[in-house]
Amino acid sequence: MEGTISHVVSARRRSSGARKAALTGACAAAAALSVPAEAQTLDNNYWISAMAFFPRIDTDVRIGSSTPATPGAEIGTDIDFEQDLALDKGEILPSFSGGARFGKVIVGADFYKLNRNGQTGLKRDIAFDGVVYPANVQVRSGFDSQIYRLTVGYALVQSPTLELGAAIGAHVTRFETSLSGFASVGGQAGQTETRRRDTLAPLPTIGAFGTWKVAPRVELNGRFDWLSLKIDDYDGRLLNAQVGANYAVAKNLALGVAYRYVDYRLGIDKERWDGRVRYKLYGPAVLLQASF
């Protein structure tokens, strides 16, 4: 009888211990699930983001022609597209980017575009691509650009909370400018003329990048690309910089704010386009980033 009672007590103790172990495991699992989810790029090797960029824009263009209709017509006017042609100084630009980390090697890509059109009466004569649009005529204008950026970087410093590195890459821009209205060619009687020029300018860059996790959910980041050199028919200078902060709102998902500054100058010496393009884009942005 005593042996039976002892066996029952022992069984109850083992059952109680099992329940306590199960309860302890459940509590540990709940605690683990309650840890804030992290969606920072330092914790994940792949990321994509969509950005709404709110820049101020300054665009200057001069286009002549090495094969003009008349001698001297190749000298183009320096045109301020915002002041002379009444293009908007502010736009909302969509931008998309993505990246991947392979150990210390980080690959990144960006794309955004700028499409603007305007119509206004000229306040001065404008020479554009071999023709002259006189003052007081109505002209339609356009300035479109597509910007592609690709970089390959190497992390010189890499830890769970900090990553610093250098990068090389390419900044490829497709420009298209147009002007349409009553114009004269070589001083002859005028007619409606439409001039449109486009070019693709691939330029290499060097740069640096950094990411710093200042809290479990907060990450600061920055990067810049730089170029100043002449390649074949192109003479370019570029500064492309961005600083920002991301906050993880859910697992693998973050909201962010950023400030971007782009100063791009390109001289072109080609048979069908002899001139220059310069534009500045600078302002704040908001973004949504997914990482995994």
Side-chain angles (χ1 to χ4, degrees):
M1 182 70 175
E2 290 180 358
T4 302
I5 294 174
S6 175
H7 178 73
V8 171
V9 171
S10 176
R12 287 179 177 177
R13 286 177 178 175
R14 287 197 300 269
S15 177
S16 176
R19 285 196 298 269
K20 288 181 180 179
L23 181 60
T24 301
C27 291
L33 292 173
S34 68
V35 173
E38 296 177 347
Q40 312 304 327
T41 54
L42 288 179
D43 296 325
N44 299 279
N45 290 327
Y46 305 93
W47 56 92
I48 56 174
S49 65
M51 175 184 293
F53 182 28
F54 304 88
R56 297 289 292 176
I57 306 169
D58 183 14
T59 312
D60 296 283
V61 176
R62 175 174 55 81
I63 297 179
S65 174
S66 298
T67 56
T70 58
E74 72 274 6
I75 301 175
T77 302
D78 287 321
I79 306 170
D80 186 318
F81 269 55
E82 288 75 35
Q83 293 188 9
D84 293 324
L85 302 179
L87 266 63
D88 289 340
K89 293 184 177 181
E91 292 282 334
I92 301 177
L93 305 183
S95 174
F96 304 93
S97 64
R101 178 183 293 104
F102 305 97
K104 287 182 173 290
V105 177
I106 295 93
V107 179
D110 295 300
F111 169 77
Y112 60 98
K113 64 180 181 178
L114 173 65
N115 295 331
R116 292 182 299 161
N117 296 281
Q119 181 171 337
T120 190
L122 294 180
K123 297 179 181 179
R124 61 185 179 116
D125 293 354
I126 286 181
F128 183 87
D129 194 21
V131 302
V132 177
Y133 297 89
N136 300 318
V137 303
Q138 288 285 321
V139 296
R140 294 188 302 275
S141 60
F143 180 88
D144 299 341
S145 64
Q146 298 177 1
I147 297 93
Y148 306 85
R149 172 183 172 270
L150 176 66
T151 61
V152 178
Y154 184 82
L156 303 174
V157 176
Q158 193 174 64
S159 74
T161 60
L162 181 66
E163 187 173 72
L164 301 173
I168 59 173
H171 193 279
V172 182
T173 306
R174 177 178 292 278
F175 291 106
E176 181 177 298
T177 60
S178 63
L179 206 57
S180 179
F182 184 86
S184 62
V185 181
Q188 302 300 316
Q191 60 182 4
T192 299
E193 295 281 351
T194 298
R195 289 290 187 267
R196 189 184 307 274
R197 286 290 177 261
D198 65 87
T199 190
L200 181 68
L203 298 173
T205 61
I206 60 173
F209 61 90
T211 304
W212 180 27
K213 185 192 293 187
V214 296
R217 286 178 177 261
V218 181
E219 179 185 73
L220 305 181
N221 56 76
R223 61 171 172 80
F224 78 88
D225 304 316
W226 176 80
L227 161 78
S228 181
L229 79 165
K230 179 176 176 61
I231 301 177
D232 295 330
D233 300 323
Y234 302 101
D235 183 8
R237 195 189 83 176
L238 167 71
L239 175 61
N240 184 1
Q242 180 176 310
V243 295
N246 290 355
Y247 178 79
V249 295
K251 184 178 181 180
N252 305 115
L253 190 65
L255 293 177
V257 294
Y259 188 90
R260 172 180 282 178
Y261 178 88
V262 180
D263 187 348
Y264 193 103
R265 302 182 186 186
L266 179 66
I268 305 169
D269 184 12
K270 299 177 73 70
E271 182 179 349
R272 297 181 63 249
W273 184 343
D274 180 13
R276 70 178 182 89
V277 176
R278 177 186 176 183
Y279 72 84
K280 284 185 179 182
L281 306 172
Y282 54 94
V286 295
L287 62 93
L288 177 67
Q289 176 178 284
S291 59
F292 52 96

